[in-house]
């Protein structure tokens, strides 16, 4: 067995020191720390132990080190049962301590990995899949009263895509995934067309829960922290609800000058988790209150001008995690959905892990 690099041992020692010596009276065990961190994403005590190992330490993902920095920035984390506070809950002094710890831990991680902190967050390509499997889009099908005459199979000029909801999002993302994965098979299916075997590959769900029941079912199985519900005050779509600090927060669209007929801002959801039917494959949801929200979620990682900076945002905030969700503001200008820039203030409304809300 190769000896661990000195920098990796130094990081492991520092994490162990923080847990045992930062607040010794708290008697903070690996299990207690893991439970506190699990508020964002499940974490086992054995994993914490592997990060602290002085024989062969594992390198923690970047987002876990940010959680360490938050947790150990304030003694309020251990006032009762250990609790991981959200960044916005920290006082100015605590945020200063957080930034100091963040810089230290990321520097140690960078030295251990042989990369600078800046290089560490070089973006990945979310729509590139390393395996040679298949990707299946599951798209909502429009009700018959929503399709035009070309959506009727009896019409000589029948066009199948006329029956799909969010067809612009489908065409945008279908082409992008084909370009990123030229050797992969890419299918598109409506919920009633999809075969059981297709549900165990990489899945991309487009559209909301009303017209795409598979989105609702798989979202529930994946235990996403964001849900979509109908509200009688909105007849044109379904609002999002996320639990923030133990309370439900609703996310609504905005209209021009209070006129419900002209959409000014929609809300989109981009979420990726392991496929609950096959954990070696991914489940990605691009959703919105309206179609503009769906399209904004799709364009966030396909737009040639903004996809790299948005990918860097994902890498910086979620690191090596295989699960994340972002609720985003999607501005609508001249009836066109504008691509969200995750790095602009107010665009990310909520994210998980992290629970950050604007």
């Amino acid at each position: 067995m190769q000896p661990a690099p000195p920098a990796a041992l130094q990081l492991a020692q520092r994490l162990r020191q923080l847990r045992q010596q930062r607040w010794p009276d708290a008697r903070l065990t690996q299990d207690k720390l893991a439970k506190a961190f699990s508020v964002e994403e499940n974490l086992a005590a054995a994993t914490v132990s592997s990060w602290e190992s002085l024989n062969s330490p594992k390198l923690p993902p970047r987002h876990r080190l940010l959680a360490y920095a938050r947790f150990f920035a304030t003694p309020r984390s251990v006032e009762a049962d250990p609790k991981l506070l959200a960044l916005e809950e920290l006082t100015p002094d605590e945020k200063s301590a957080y930034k100091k710890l963040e810089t230290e831990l990321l520097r140690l991680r960078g030295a251990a990995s042989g990369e600078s902190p800046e290089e560490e967050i070089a973006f990945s390509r979310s729509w590139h899949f390393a395996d040679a499997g298949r990707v299946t889009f599951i798209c909502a099908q429009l009700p018959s009263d929503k399709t035009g005459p070309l959506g009727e199979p009896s019409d000589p000029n029948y066009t199948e895509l006329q029956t799909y909801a969010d067809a612009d999002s489908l065409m945008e993302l279908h082409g992008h995934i084909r370009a990123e994965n030229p050797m992969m098979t890419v299918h598109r299916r409506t919920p009633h067309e999809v075969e059981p075997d297709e549900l165990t590959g990489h899945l991309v769900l487009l559209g909301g829960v009303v017209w795409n029941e598979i989105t609702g079912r798989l979202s529930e199985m994946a235990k996403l922290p964001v849900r979509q519900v109908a509200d009688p005050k909105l007849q044109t779509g379904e609002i999002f609800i996320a639990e923030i600090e133990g309370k439900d927060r609703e996310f609504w669209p905005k209209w021009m000058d209070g006129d419900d007929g002209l959409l000014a801002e929609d809300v989109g959801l981009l979420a990726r988790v392991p496929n609950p039917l096959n954990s070696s494959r991914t489940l990605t949801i691009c959703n919105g209150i309206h179609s503009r929200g769906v399209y904004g979620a799709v364009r966030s990682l396909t737009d040639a001008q903004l996809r790299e900076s948005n990918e860097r945002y994902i890498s910086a905030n979620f690191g090596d995690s295989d699960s994340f969700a972002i609720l985003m503001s999607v501005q609508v200008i001249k009836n066109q959905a504008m691509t969200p820039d995750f790095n602009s203030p107010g665009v990310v409304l909520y994210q998980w892990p992290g629970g950050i809300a604007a």
Side-chain angles (χ1 to χ4, degrees):
M1 178 184 296
Q2 293 290 328
L9 289 174
Q10 190 177 0
L11 176 58
Q13 289 170 335
R14 181 59 170 139
L15 296 181
R16 181 183 289 263
Q17 180 189 51
L18 284 170
R19 180 178 60 80
Q20 294 180 337
Q21 300 178 24
R22 189 74 158 189
W23 304 297
D25 292 343
R27 300 182 181 277
L28 190 61
T29 65
Q30 293 172 341
D31 182 61
K32 289 179 179 179
L33 189 63
K35 287 179 179 177
F37 283 14
S38 291
V39 69
E40 293 185 340
E41 179 186 0
N42 285 339
L43 179 65
T47 303
V48 175
S49 177
S50 73
W51 297 338
E52 294 184 1
S53 171
L54 302 183
N55 296 316
S56 55
K58 302 294 185 183
L59 206 59
R62 186 180 189 278
H63 73 283
R64 291 300 195 185
L65 291 182
L66 299 185
Y68 267 94
R70 259 188 293 143
F71 186 88
F72 290 104
T74 171
R76 293 190 293 132
S77 299
V78 292
E79 282 181 348
D81 290 333
K83 176 184 178 182
L84 181 62
L85 301 177
L87 185 59
E88 61 267 24
E89 294 181 79
L90 302 185
T91 67
D93 287 344
E94 290 168 346
K95 286 184 178 177
S96 177
Y98 161 77
K99 291 302 295 183
K100 184 177 180 180
L101 269 175
E102 175 194 44
T103 300
E104 176 193 0
L105 296 178
L106 292 184
R107 178 183 58 78
L108 289 173
R109 190 186 193 282
S113 65
E115 302 171 336
S116 69
E118 291 77 17
E119 289 171 331
E120 274 195 89
I121 62 171
F123 71 94
S124 58
R125 292 153 56 195
S126 292
W127 293 118
H128 173 74
F129 301 102
D131 59 89
R134 64 169 174 254
V135 178
T136 301
F137 284 87
I138 303 179
C139 312
Q141 190 165 30
L142 291 171
S144 58
D145 62 346
K146 297 290 185 181
T147 60
L150 297 186
E152 291 295 331
S154 59
D155 193 292
N157 292 310
Y158 168 68
T159 305
E160 185 182 6
L161 285 182
Q162 293 274 348
T163 68
Y164 280 65
D166 302 300
D168 49 358
S169 295
L170 170 62
M171 295 305 295
E172 171 76 16
L173 190 51
H174 189 281
H176 187 81
I177 289 180
R178 287 294 301 272
E180 288 280 324
N181 308 273
M183 303 305 293
M184 292 188 78
T185 302
V186 183
H187 298 294
R188 53 177 168 81
R189 300 284 187 263
T190 59
H192 77 270
E193 292 173 335
V194 69
E195 298 291 336
D197 285 350
E198 293 174 318
L199 294 175
T200 58
H202 294 290
L203 293 180
V204 180
L205 308 184
L206 292 179
V209 297
V210 171
W211 290 345
N212 192 344
E213 66 271 20
I214 291 181
T215 295
R217 180 70 187 279
L218 289 178
S219 296
E220 183 179 334
M221 291 175 65
K223 294 180 170 48
L224 283 177
V226 179
R227 63 188 190 276
Q228 196 170 18
V229 300
D231 189 289
K233 294 190 292 294
L234 183 68
Q235 298 297 316
T236 54
E238 297 75 44
I239 65 170
F240 288 106
I241 296 179
E243 184 177 311
I244 300 175
E245 299 177 9
K247 297 180 181 179
D248 282 348
R249 176 170 172 181
E250 298 178 350
F251 296 86
W252 289 74
K254 296 178 181 179
W255 309 91
M256 290 290 291
D257 300 323
D259 180 1
D260 286 0
L262 192 59
L263 186 64
E265 180 182 330
D266 205 359
V267 180
L269 169 67
L270 173 67
R272 173 165 288 179
V273 295
N275 184 340
L277 299 174
N278 180 358
S279 60
S280 68
R281 298 294 185 262
T282 60
L283 168 66
T284 309
I285 298 174
C286 296
N287 200 353
I289 295 179
H290 302 99
S291 62
R292 268 66 165 250
V294 181
Y295 193 59
V298 166
R299 288 283 288 169
S300 68
L301 296 181
T302 65
D303 187 309
Q305 302 300 316
L306 288 169
R307 67 185 180 222
E308 291 188 8
S309 64
N310 285 340
E311 292 278 20
R312 286 193 175 93
Y313 179 94
I314 290 172
S315 294
N317 284 272
F318 309 121
D320 300 327
S321 175
D322 58 5
S323 301
F324 70 87
I326 297 174
L327 272 179
M328 67 196 76
S329 165
V330 180
Q331 297 295 324
V332 180
I333 299 177
K334 292 187 175 181
N335 289 322
Q336 298 294 314
M338 307 304 293
T339 302
D341 178 359
F342 296 161
N343 296 283
S344 292
V347 170
V348 174
L349 304 174
Y350 168 87
Q351 67 184 33
W352 167 82
I356 295 173

